[in-house]
Amino acid sequence: MPEWLLPGLLMVVLPPLVARLRSSALFGGAMLAIPVLSWLAFSTLTIGTELWWPAHGVVLVPLRLDGVSWLWATVFHAAAWLGTLYSLGDPRERITPVAGQMYAGAAVFAVCAGDLVSLFIGWELTGVFSVFLVWARGGGRAFAVGLRYLAWQVVSGVLLLAGVLWRANAGLSLELGPVSLDEAGSLLLLAAIGIKVCMPGVHTWLTRTYPEATPGGTVFLSAFTTKMAIYALMRLFAGLPILVPIGAAMTVVALVLALRSDDIRRILAYVLVNQLGFMVVAIGIGSDLALAGVSALAVVHILYKSLLFMATGAVVYRTGRSEASTLGGLGAVMPTTALLYLVGAWSHLPGLAGYASKSLITASAGAAHETVAWLVLEATTAAMVLVIGVHLPWQVFGRPRAEAIEGAAAAPGPMRAAMVLAALPLVGFGLMPTVLWDALPFTFDRAAYSPYNAHHALAILQLSAGAAFAYFGLVRFGAFHVTPEPAPLDADWFDRVALPAVGGRVWAWVDDAYRGVRDQILRLAEDTVARIARKTGPGSAAAATFTTRSGALSMAMLLTLYAVLFFTRGTLDPVPAHDAQDTHGAAHGEAHAAPAHGAPSHGADAHGAPSHGADAHGEPSHDAPHDAGPAEDHHDPAPAGHGGAGGHGGH
């Protein structure tokens, strides 16, 4: 592969060009070919390949391929192809497959990056491309949700960039590798990743956005952003102890909120956060077994979560409804969709891939003596099966309805094909987990670990069965009610309700103050204009007209005054107190009056000081010409007060 053809680049560049094809068949075929071509180009790379780009004194590493990045990039290509196939089930929709592939290409580039700057580029591109998956649904609500989603992505990117710049300024390495919280900028990096990993309090960007995207858009969204963040967290902060309780809290809070939701895709969004909590716990443990569990669960989670969003997206596409309380009885109308949904929902039971991958994480928690975390993970696994394996399928597919839902029909062919292809690996990896484990970049003692030991399998089955019996018992006696609100009260109450309310009041106060000041200024300006108008407007003295007689008289007076000033201008010139005569005019023969008797002539001033030809000490002036003629006769200087134009004698 050429050096300039970076991983994922084909999926970023080609889809906008293919979108110009008018034929739906050509468009669909070309879109399905792009991820294949991208993966074929990527498969020519070997483990250990690196690409170095010097740029402005910094060496960028846009490509560093090892076992971890190879696994993530491969499953990202597969998810992009499945998402494209599913999106083609709606022939009217072209934005979703185009934006989805560009989004996937940016994610592939990010996980293959070898430095923080390259990671930041992919980090930001995923946010920009993915927002179109929300806006593609159309309408003001989708636009507003997309803006809020984009704002969170930008905040995460800004924090990541700030952390990178801080490290660069401190002279630390920008390599995508382990960092310590004691190092400069590390907390900013953790905060940036924590947003996209959906840590408690900053998870609502996901749970509010994914249900508002197009059916195919939600499939794409579930696969890339959060897994890219898990990849970055594992690269930078593996073994950080604080991540264990954070991840455990994510698993519990998400399931509680999922049970209070009515929107079927929002329920799955909360369960997605729950599964991210498992991965965060394992990254905090940091052992090879735990990191192997993170890699395995990331691969499997992309498959089964995509399958669940495909099934619920098909329901939304056919019925136009997303609230579980308005659905029911769809198993008879959409049997293939219902069956494939159950494969994804029950993937954490023995025999399916979710069980084989998640067991690595629970085993690592036990081996690390994280007893509380182990108990939380086991309990939330059973609770998750209750939420998405019992509650949601019963509400959507099993619960009988008195009347049929208008428009309900089997999912389109491309949607069903994508669901089947996503379900097959879940069954295969579940029955043969060693196939998945062989692809993992981490080694662990397989002889000491077996997911299918009787104790562990029986414990999961007992917990799940007990939860199912409890659920149906509560439903039978009317003790379980789904909240009619599609979205439960969550941490985003602060930015959705509290902040607008407080901000609205503050804005109203600022607006009132502004209007008051503006009105005062306008009133003052109006008063000033009115006052000027009264002085200069019609009827005022300034606007009065003059008669011809008065005008001629005024002109004659002005001309007379001008003549007097003109002919008396010489006598009205001021004379300095220390100079009693106009010596400058006498020297040049320009004075109209004769000099006084004994007054100094051209060569000296009134005090006997030399004039034009000499300086004050009688020395020749530098300004006097050397060839000047004989000077005039000098006379004794007259006493002060006897010179000037009003003297007693003249020539």
Side-chain angles (χ1 to χ4, degrees):
M1 186 177 75
E3 288 187 354
W4 56 266
L5 191 59
L6 297 172
L9 182 61
L10 290 178
M11 287 195 289
V12 174
V13 175
L14 294 182
L17 303 178
V18 173
R20 302 177 63 87
L21 296 175
R22 295 185 177 182
S23 172
S24 298
L26 289 177
F27 171 76
M31 291 300 297
L32 289 174
I34 291 174
V36 177
L37 292 176
S38 178
W39 186 82
L40 289 176
F42 172 75
S43 64
T44 61
L45 300 174
T46 58
I47 302 297
T49 301
E50 290 188 358
L51 182 61
W52 300 74
W53 284 358
H56 301 289
V58 178
V59 178
L60 301 181
V61 189
L63 172 61
R64 176 176 290 163
L65 196 62
D66 58 10
V68 181
S69 56
W70 185 92
L71 178 65
W72 246 262
T74 299
V75 72
F76 278 1
H77 278 95
W81 192 88
L82 288 174
T84 301
L85 176 61
Y86 180 85
S87 299
L88 294 175
D90 185 357
R92 302 164 300 177
E93 182 58 68
R94 287 200 173 194
I95 296 178
T96 296
V98 171
Q101 285 201 12
M102 297 174 71
Y103 170 40
V108 170
F109 172 78
V111 298
C112 292
D115 68 280
L116 292 172
V117 176
S118 301
L119 174 67
F120 167 75
I121 295 173
W123 199 268
E124 287 296 277
L125 289 178
T126 55
V128 172
F129 294 149
S130 59
V131 73
F132 290 98
L133 300 173
V134 183
W135 288 341
R137 191 173 185 181
R141 178 181 176 86
F143 182 74
V145 172
L147 284 180
R148 184 179 291 113
Y149 167 82
L150 185 60
W152 276 108
Q153 303 306 304
V154 170
V155 169
S156 176
V158 169
L159 290 174
L160 180 63
L161 179 61
V164 172
L165 294 177
W166 196 349
R167 290 181 62 83
N169 186 60
L172 298 175
S173 172
L174 298 183
E175 181 182 359
L176 187 60
V179 301
S180 171
L181 285 184
D182 298 332
E183 296 177 352
S186 58
L187 287 177
L188 292 175
L189 298 178
L190 182 60
I193 297 172
I195 290 176
K196 293 200 175 187
V197 169
C198 298
M199 290 183 178
V202 292
H203 63 279
T204 54
W205 66 265
L206 186 150
T207 57
R208 296 290 177 180
T209 303
Y210 286 17
E212 304 299 333
T214 62
T218 308
V219 175
F220 278 109
L221 288 170
S222 67
F224 301 112
T225 297
T226 53
K227 308 311 176 300
M228 176 186 67
I230 287 292
Y231 173 87
L233 188 67
M234 182 171 63
R235 286 289 197 186
L236 297 175
F237 296 103
L240 184 63
I242 191 62
L243 295 178
V244 175
I246 291 176
M250 292 170 62
T251 62
V252 176
V253 173
L255 284 181
V256 172
L257 293 171
L259 282 171
R260 294 184 54 81
S261 300
D262 193 25
D263 189 294
I264 56 177
R265 294 195 295 174
R266 181 163 286 111
I267 293 173
L268 295 180
Y270 277 116
V271 175
L272 191 156
V273 176
N274 164 270
Q275 297 301 287
L276 294 174
F278 275 77
M279 302 181 205
V280 172
V281 168
I283 293 173
I285 294 172
S287 63
D288 285 344
L289 179 60
L291 298 181
V294 173
S295 302
L297 184 56
V299 172
V300 173
H301 186 261
I302 288 175
L303 294 172
Y304 81 74
K305 190 58 67 175
S306 296
L307 177 56
L308 294 176
F309 276 116
M310 288 177 185
T312 54
V315 171
V316 174
Y317 176 74
R318 283 303 194 193
T319 66
R321 305 182 185 185
S322 60
E323 291 78 20
S325 57
T326 64
L327 297 169
L330 292 178
V333 183
M334 310 174 71
T336 303
T337 301
L339 177 61
L340 293 172
Y341 173 87
L342 290 176
V343 173
W346 292 351
S347 64
H348 297 280
L349 297 178
L352 294 173
Y355 173 82
S357 59
K358 191 178 290 186
S359 297
L360 295 173
I361 295 178
T362 55
S364 68
H369 305 289
E370 295 284 355
T371 306
V372 175
W374 180 85
L375 289 174
V376 170
L377 297 182
E378 292 284 2
T380 53
T381 297
M384 187 198 66
V385 175
L386 165 66
V387 174
I388 65 173
V390 179
H391 167 65
L392 199 152
W394 169 254
Q395 294 289 328
V396 176
F397 300 106
R399 181 168 57 91
R401 287 180 56 89
E403 70 282 352
I405 298 177
E406 183 179 356
M415 291 186 177
R416 283 180 290 167
M419 287 188 277
V420 170
L421 293 175
L424 290 177
L426 294 176
V427 177
F429 290 152
L431 296 177
M432 296 178 293
T434 55
V435 175
L436 176 61
W437 294 347
D438 289 340
L440 299 179
F442 300 97
T443 59
F444 57 94
D445 187 3
R446 298 187 184 181
Y449 169 73
S450 174
Y452 288 107
N453 64 76
H455 174 73
H456 185 239
L458 186 60
I460 292 296
L461 290 174
Q462 286 176 336
L463 288 172
S464 301
F469 279 118
Y471 172 79
F472 284 114
L474 293 174
V475 171
R476 175 67 180 81
F477 293 104
F480 184 86
H481 299 283
V482 177
T483 175
E485 293 293 332
L489 182 65
D490 202 345
D492 65 343
W493 177 86
F494 292 98
D495 65 272
R496 288 193 310 110
V497 180
L499 187 59
V502 175
R505 294 194 177 191
V506 173
W507 175 254
W509 180 84
V510 172
D511 187 59
D512 291 342
Y514 163 75
R515 291 177 183 274
V517 173
R518 184 195 62 182
D519 293 343
Q520 291 291 340
I521 294 175
L522 291 177
R523 191 175 299 111
L524 178 61
E526 291 173 356
D527 293 343
T528 304
V529 171
R531 191 175 296 110
I532 295 173
R534 287 194 299 270
K535 298 292 186 182
T536 62
S540 66
T545 59
F546 296 93
T547 63
T548 305
R549 178 180 177 183
S550 61
L553 180 60
S554 300
M555 186 61 66
M557 293 174 63
L558 289 174
L559 290 174
T560 301
L561 178 62
Y562 177 76
V564 171
L565 293 175
F566 178 80
F567 288 108
T568 60
R569 70 184 188 280
T571 59
L572 296 178
D573 287 341
V575 179
H578 65 278
D579 193 356
Q581 61 182 355
D582 188 1
T583 58
H584 183 75
H588 291 277
E590 296 177 354
H592 296 286
H597 177 71
S601 64
H602 184 73
D605 61 9
H607 299 282
S611 181
H612 295 274
D615 59 13
H617 300 282
E619 295 297 327
S621 173
H622 295 287
D623 294 332
H626 296 287
D627 58 348
E632 296 181 325
D633 293 337
H634 293 275
H635 302 277
D636 294 333
H642 290 279
H648 298 287
H651 290 290

